[in-house]
């Protein structure tokens, strides 16, 4: 298995632009998580899905952030409009529902200038 | 409110010596703990875990100790190797069915040759 695949690996965008981050979870996994890593706040959970259904989005910082999971093999995290303070590394992770071990992708480093 | 805390942002040890990374938690309902290791430009990878019914779990050079009364766990690496240099995160899944992980802020371990 190729593991959790995220794209792009790096994204540089101008403030105000829309940014879309993509994630392909491990095949067979039915839980998917979006995390954000910053120096100030460490690794924080933004949202997670079970069986493609958003369960808890209380970690999403603002309405500018939205996430979708249209099917079991694909999820997106969108920021519209982006701001410089959104600059961070965004990780997607997946697991079997109820399992404690989550497998992480390599992350997308987002820079908003 | 940080439920999982790693109070040492960095640690340096000499190759061959023991590395001890510490983690404290506040939620007495946590029943499982994980350690993740993260190299630069990569996602966190699972290292070792421990259930709250145990006080020790060992896997090769890595041992995790759990002190429930003190709400404290530690990761021991013996002997430390330069390839162990990474950021180590302590994590705990939320009680109940959701099981999303709450992470500590991480400790940067540097093993000096």
């Amino acid at each position: 298995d190729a593991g959790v695949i995220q794209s792009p690996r790096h994204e540089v965008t101008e403030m105000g632009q829309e940014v879309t981050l993509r994630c392909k979870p491990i095949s067979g996994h039915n839980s998917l998580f979006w995390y954000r890593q910053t120096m100030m706040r460490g690794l924080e959970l933004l949202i997670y899905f079970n069986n493609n259904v958003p369960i808890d989005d209380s970690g999403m910082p603002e309405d500018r952030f939205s996430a979708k999971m249209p099917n079991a093999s694909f999820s997106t995290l969108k920021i519209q409009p982006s701001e410089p303070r959104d600059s961070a590394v965004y990780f997607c992770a997946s697991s079997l529902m109820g399992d404690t071990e989550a497998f992480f992708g390599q992350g997308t480093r987002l820079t908003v200038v | 409110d940080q439920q999982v805390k790693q109070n040492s942002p960095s640690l340096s040890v000499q190759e061959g010596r023991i590395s001890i990374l510490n983690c404290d938690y506040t939620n007495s309902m946590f029943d499982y703990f994980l350690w993740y290791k993260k190299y630069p430009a990569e996602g966190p990878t699972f290292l070792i875990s421990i259930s709250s019914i145990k006080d020790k779990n060992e896997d090769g050079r890595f041992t995790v100790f759990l002190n429930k009364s003190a709400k404290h766990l530690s990761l021991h690496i013996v002997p430390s190797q330069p390839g162990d240099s990474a950021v180590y995160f302590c994590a705990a899944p939320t009680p109940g069915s959701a099981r999303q992980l709450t992470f500590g802020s991480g400790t940067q371990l540097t093993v000096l040759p």
Side-chain angles (χ1 to χ4, degrees), chain A residues 30-82:
Chain A
N30 48 14
S31 289
L32 183 139
F33 310 87
W34 283 100
Y35 285 88
R36 178 171 70 175
Q37 184 184 22
T38 61
M39 290 292 292
M40 292 293 292
R41 301 174 66 91
L43 264 170
E44 52 179 343
L45 178 68
L46 301 178
I47 186 172
Y48 75 95
F49 296 81
N50 283 344
N51 293 321
N52 313 338
V53 177
I55 302 301
D56 184 355
D57 65 353
S58 59
M60 298 284 260
E62 298 172 35
D63 290 345
R64 298 183 295 107
F65 287 70
S66 62
K68 293 182 180 178
M69 192 164 184
N71 57 62
S73 59
F74 184 65
S75 178
T76 59
L77 178 67
K78 186 178 293 187
I79 309 172
Q80 165 65 21
S82 57

Side-chain angles (χ1 to χ4, degrees), chain B residues 1-3 21 36 38 41 45 63 75 86:
Chain B
D1 175 33
Q2 263 198 309
Q3 297 190 65
L21 298 108
Y36 277 78
K38 184 185 179 305
T45 55
T63 303
L75 174 68

Side-chain angles (χ1 to χ4, degrees), chain B:
Chain B
D1 175 33
Q2 263 198 309
Q3 297 190 65
V4 179
K5 300 178 186 179
Q6 294 176 259
N7 293 319
S8 299
S10 63
L11 173 69
S12 291
V13 298
Q14 213 56 46
E15 181 178 4
R17 308 294 283 268
I18 184 171
S19 296
I20 300 176
L21 298 108
N22 293 304
C23 178
D24 297 294
Y25 61 96
T26 57
N27 189 341
S28 58
M29 298 296 288
F30 285 151
D31 59 2
Y32 200 84
F33 302 89
L34 304 88
W35 284 93
Y36 277 78
K37 178 165 111 172
K38 184 185 179 305
Y39 292 118
E42 293 185 14
T45 55
F46 170 73
L47 184 60
I48 192 170
S49 62
I50 188 165
S51 164
S52 61
I53 63 173
K54 295 185 174 181
D55 54 17
K56 176 183 173 182
N57 188 27
E58 189 173 351
D59 183 2
R61 297 185 297 114
F62 302 90
T63 303
V64 57
F65 295 92
L66 175 61
N67 182 335
K68 288 189 289 293
S69 60
K71 294 193 180 69
H72 177 84
L73 61 156
S74 60
L75 174 68
H76 293 214
I77 307 173
V78 182
S80 301
Q81 299 173 354
D84 296 329
S85 297
V87 177
Y88 290 79
F89 292 95
C90 171
T94 55
S97 61
R99 310 302 273 176
Q100 70 270 30
L101 293 173
T102 298
F103 284 86
S105 53
T107 298
Q108 169 70 58
L109 173 66
T110 302
V111 180
L112 305 167

